[in-house]
Structures are given as C-alpha cells and as structure tokens.
Amino acid sequence: MDFPNASNISSVFGVVAPVLIGVAFLWVVLRTESRHVLISRLWQLVHGKQEISDPQVRAFVDEQTSLISFRMFAGVPVASLEEAHQLIEWTKRNGVQMRTLSVCGELFDTALRQVKVHKLPSRFSQGWRLFGFFTSVLIGCLSVIGVFSSQSLLSLKSTERYFWASPTEVKPLWPLRAAALDITHCSQTVSANASRTTFSEQEVGILCDVLKSATAPEFMKKTLSDQRWSLILLIAFALWFSWLGLFAWAAGFAAHNLAKRRIDPSLPGSQLSLDLSS
C-alpha cells in the first residue's frame, strides 16, 4: 500500500467525511449520556418541525431537551433538570466555574455538590499520569518525524544490527554520527568500509549485496510505505493515550484544588444529605 499523497486526498475525504459525522454523533451521545439527540433528529426527519400536540408530552420532551443541552454545554452529567438548576445556583454563589466541575468528572458528586474525597488520586498516581502523558507525547512526536523520513529502519538477522536504509545507502542507527555506506563505496575494500562506517566486515558484505540487488529499490519503497502506515497507527495510539493521561491528571488536579476550598455544599432554603462516608 502506497503512502497517501495529495492526488488521492479528495477521494479519501469522501469516505472519511461520513465517518467523522458518525463519530461526532457518537461523541454527543457519550457526552450527554443520552440518545435524545439522535431520536430527536429521527423524529424531525419523519414528522418535520411539527410540534407535539399533547401539552404534557411536549413539556416532557422540552425538559429532556433542556437537560441534554445542559449536559452538552456544561459537560456535567446531572441526573435531572432540577439538579442542573441547583448546580448552576451553587456555582454562582461560590464562584466555582462549571468548567471545573466538568474537568473533575466522576470525582465530583453533582447531587451532593461536593468532591468525592475518598476517590481523590494520590500524588504518586498523579505523577504517573503526567509521566504517561509526556511519554505518549514524546512517542507521538518521534513518530511524526519518522513519517516524513525518507529512510526506513531495518535490521540484519545474522547480527541483529539496526540501520537506516534507502535505495542507495545504509547508515548505522548508532552511533548517530557514523558514516553511511553508499552503493558507490561497495567498490572499495570491505575492511576500509568497515573501519569508516562502524559496520563489521560481515555486515558490509551483506549490505553491499543488498544495495546492488535489482530488487532493492522496490523492497525499500515497500518497506518505507509499511513503516509509515505503522507510524501513523502509533501516532493515533499516542494521541489517545496522551489524551487519557492529560485528562486523568487534570481531573485529579482540579478535584484536589476544589476540595481544598471546603465549600459548603448546601443551598439556602434547601436540605442536603451529606455523604458522611467520604
């Protein structure tokens, strides 16, 4: 499989666009924890924009729409519209950003309006999350560099020596400043090439045979294409793990800071059952 280029981007986009739309709908369902949006769209396709005649049913649908809208825009999975109203009032009274509660995620109890202290991650756990995030970012950056490289990474089975390869030359993976073995150098003695490139004499002999082979260019091209596709998959995984690591750390950080404020979870004129077990 050849590496994608500008000539086939338009055709690929025709396939990718519907997939992206489907992923967007899936994200909305996961964020709102409801299929209300999809059902509402299907209802409009069948009945158009005609309003529901029964007032109680219409009120129920409107309430569900408002609840889903709050979950979507606030990112906080409240159980009811009344809970959403109370949470809005509580955040305004105490100067708490709704975004903070969204970042806290499952570490914040929306019904009790308090941090689940017993679930707060330790400093050690937070450190590991940051380490995982930066490691994933580093792997992703190195993979991006590798995608645009014109050389593929290969190894010799006989010596397990790794090297960079192109149709006309090979270069040791280590040390970094080692000289490359070009196909034109294969006319020189094996010992001279070995001392200049840090390859052993056995490796020089094998690599020169490979470079002079008629199938070498096609083999290098296929290997480079396979390597690029593998790196693209690695970039996708790195993005996914870095996303998980960053948001897991951010949730713990935000929840710790919110817990330190020791804000009263109650509202004037309302009764609240506190979670004494935490």
Side-chain angles (χ1 to χ4, degrees):
M1 182 183 295
D2 293 332
F3 189 69
N5 49 51
S7 63
N8 55 22
I9 288 180
S10 58
S11 60
V12 172
F13 182 78
V15 178
V16 173
V19 175
L20 292 178
I21 294 174
V23 171
F25 271 103
L26 179 61
W27 177 76
V28 171
V29 171
L30 293 176
R31 182 175 175 85
T32 60
E33 298 183 358
S34 173
R35 297 173 298 171
H36 178 77
V37 175
L38 295 178
I39 296 174
S40 177
R41 288 297 181 185
L42 290 174
W43 175 262
Q44 290 180 3
L45 287 175
V46 176
H47 292 274
K49 296 183 179 180
Q50 181 181 359
E51 291 188 357
I52 301 173
S53 58
D54 187 271
Q56 286 187 318
V57 175
R58 184 169 63 251
F60 168 77
V61 174
D62 290 341
E63 180 178 336
Q64 289 299 306
T65 301
S66 297
L67 175 60
I68 298 307
S69 298
F70 176 83
R71 290 180 181 176
M72 180 65 190
F73 291 105
V76 181
V78 292
S80 64
L81 197 58
E82 180 183 1
E83 188 176 306
H85 293 161
Q86 293 175 348
L87 200 59
I88 292 172
E89 182 182 354
W90 182 80
T91 54
K92 288 181 178 180
R93 285 181 175 274
N94 296 285
V96 178
Q97 294 292 327
M98 193 67 70
R99 176 62 180 169
T100 301
L101 305 186
S102 176
V103 173
C104 288
E106 62 178 10
L107 296 178
F108 184 82
D109 193 318
T110 57
L112 300 178
R113 296 186 291 278
Q114 63 182 9
V115 177
K116 299 177 182 178
V117 181
H118 60 290
K119 289 189 176 182
L120 288 177
S122 63
R123 289 186 178 181
F124 180 79
S125 178
Q126 286 290 87
W128 268 110
R129 291 173 178 178
L130 270 185
F131 176 78
F133 166 71
F134 285 115
T135 301
S136 298
V137 170
L138 178 60
I139 293 174
C141 291
L142 294 176
S143 299
V144 170
I145 295 174
V147 166
F148 294 98
S149 174
S150 59
Q151 297 179 320
S152 54
L153 182 62
L154 300 174
S155 66
L156 288 173
K157 292 183 179 180
S158 57
T159 61
E160 296 183 354
R161 180 74 177 272
Y162 284 87
F163 59 92
W164 297 108
S166 70
T168 58
E169 69 173 21
V170 293
K171 184 179 181 180
L173 180 63
W174 188 265
L176 296 177
R177 295 185 178 180
L181 176 64
D182 193 272
I183 190 172
T184 58
H185 298 152
C186 291
S187 58
Q188 302 176 10
T189 62
V190 173
S191 58
N193 283 326
S195 60
R196 183 177 55 82
T197 62
T198 71
F199 285 119
S200 67
E201 294 186 5
Q202 177 190 2
E203 291 169 340
V204 169
I206 297 174
L207 293 173
C208 279
D209 291 339
V210 172
L211 290 174
K212 291 186 292 184
S213 172
T215 59
E218 184 63 27
F219 171 76
M220 297 294 183
K221 180 181 179 181
K222 184 180 183 304
T223 302
L224 183 60
S225 178
D226 293 342
Q227 176 179 288
R228 283 173 171 172
W229 280 112
S230 299
L231 289 173
I232 288 175
L233 291 177
L234 186 58
I235 291 171
F237 280 113
L239 286 173
W240 174 250
F241 283 115
S242 62
W243 178 277
L244 292 179
L246 178 61
F247 276 86
W249 173 85
F253 181 79
H256 271 288
N257 287 341
L258 187 59
K260 289 178 182 177
R261 295 180 58 181
R262 300 182 181 277
I263 302 175
D264 185 359
S266 62
L267 287 172
S270 65
Q271 295 182 347
L272 184 69
S273 299
L274 298 180
D275 184 9
L276 301 178
S277 62
S278 61

